[in-house]
Amino acid sequence: MTTHQDPETALRHWRAAAAEPDSLLIDGFHALKHTLRFGGELRAVVTGDPAGLAELAGRLAPDVAERVLAAAVPVPAEALRTLVPRPHPTGVAALAVRPDPRAQLERLRALPRSAPVVVLDNPRNLGNIGAVVRLAAGFGATGVVTTGDADPWHPGAVRAGAGLHYATAVARLTAATLPPGPRFVLDPEGEDIRSVRLPDDALLVFGSERHGVSAELRAGADGLLAIPMRPQVSSFNLATSVGMGLFHWMSHAPSAGR
């Protein structure tokens, strides 16, 4: 474990880095390892449990363990609690550089695409947004776009996504500026999704947890698709629905994301 900074210096450095407008809180070991694996740039790393961090890094992420331990500065656990609103049980937090939004948009809009873009229409729950980003990264989707007020790069969403925002493209856009591609809206009144083969350049649009897909996005859809569900069950969780939609796509593209 590096000791290139004493705790007081590390805390001052953290607070200065946190004031940068493009700094992003990376909360917990799993988010930190994914940030490093997928090219994230770190500004500061602190830990209230150096021994625990070394054990986790060696056991769960030997590919990035050296970089984790070289960057992490031990600080008292009580000091860590002053930096992070809800410290992660793994006792480590970092500040990373949020990716350039223009580069994210270029990735989302580039054609041809080899995997769909997931569109979340006005999602309200940051945990659901993060869970969807995690799914998109795992399935090799091109990225995740949200509409509405919620920032998909909010630290709560990044925490729920385990830092996998860096493994895909994530952006907030308006309905009028979505990436190109055929638009398939998931809707209970739509055609059974099992009867449709989703193209690689599809936009898969999912509605908000409460209100569903907006009339604007429904009106421009190339197709309405329904995920089969037992009668009298009102709905699936948003992330569950996205996972089923992406699995259906992947089942016809076995090499996707591999």
Side-chain angles (χ1 to χ4, degrees):
M1 179 71 64
T2 183
T3 56
H4 65 283
Q5 288 183 349
D6 63 81
E8 285 301 319
T9 301
L11 295 176
R12 287 196 300 270
H13 174 70
W14 177 285
R15 294 185 177 106
E20 296 292 332
D22 60 347
S23 279
L24 179 71
L25 176 63
I26 304 297
D27 196 5
F29 174 73
H30 299 294
L32 174 58
K33 75 178 181 185
H34 287 137
T35 298
L36 285 172
R37 278 178 179 166
F38 293 100
E41 177 186 346
L42 297 179
R43 285 189 166 133
V45 183
V46 293
T47 177
D49 182 10
L53 178 60
E55 191 276 332
L56 280 175
R59 178 166 54 89
L60 299 179
D63 55 316
V64 295
E66 183 176 350
R67 286 187 286 164
V68 168
L69 300 181
V73 180
V75 298
E78 58 271 20
L80 180 61
R81 288 192 288 271
T82 70
L83 303 179
V84 182
R86 185 166 57 99
H88 194 274
T90 55
V92 62
L95 291 172
V97 178
R98 180 168 171 165
D100 182 354
R102 293 168 298 182
Q104 299 283 290
L105 289 177
E106 288 177 6
R107 290 174 61 187
L108 289 163
R109 291 175 173 158
L111 292 174
R113 282 197 300 268
S114 60
V117 171
V118 175
V119 179
L120 305 182
D121 187 24
N122 196 27
R124 310 306 305 167
N125 185 290
L126 294 173
N128 273 343
I129 295 172
V132 168
V133 170
R134 193 168 183 174
L135 284 165
F139 280 107
T142 294
V144 176
V145 169
T146 66
T147 69
D149 297 330
D151 180 7
W153 284 90
H154 186 283
V158 175
R159 177 170 174 150
L164 284 163
H165 284 59
Y166 288 90
T168 188
V170 181
R172 177 170 50 173
L173 299 172
T174 66
T177 59
L178 293 180
R183 188 180 304 173
F184 294 89
V185 170
L186 276 290
D187 187 277
E189 303 303 317
E191 183 180 0
D192 189 322
I193 193 172
R194 293 173 296 182
S195 67
V196 176
R197 182 164 183 161
L198 295 170
D200 292 343
D201 61 349
L203 304 184
L204 303 183
V205 184
F206 298 82
S208 69
E209 297 86 341
R210 180 171 297 181
H211 300 295
V213 176
S214 66
E216 180 181 6
L217 286 181
R218 279 175 58 93
D222 292 277
L224 301 181
L225 303 178
I227 295 173
M229 186 168 53
R230 180 181 177 180
Q232 298 183 314
V233 175
S234 59
S235 65
F236 291 117
N237 171 270
L238 174 60
T240 300
S241 297
V242 173
M244 287 189 283
L246 287 173
F247 181 80
H248 175 70
W249 161 74
M250 191 179 72
S251 68
H252 296 106
S255 63
R258 299 296 184 264

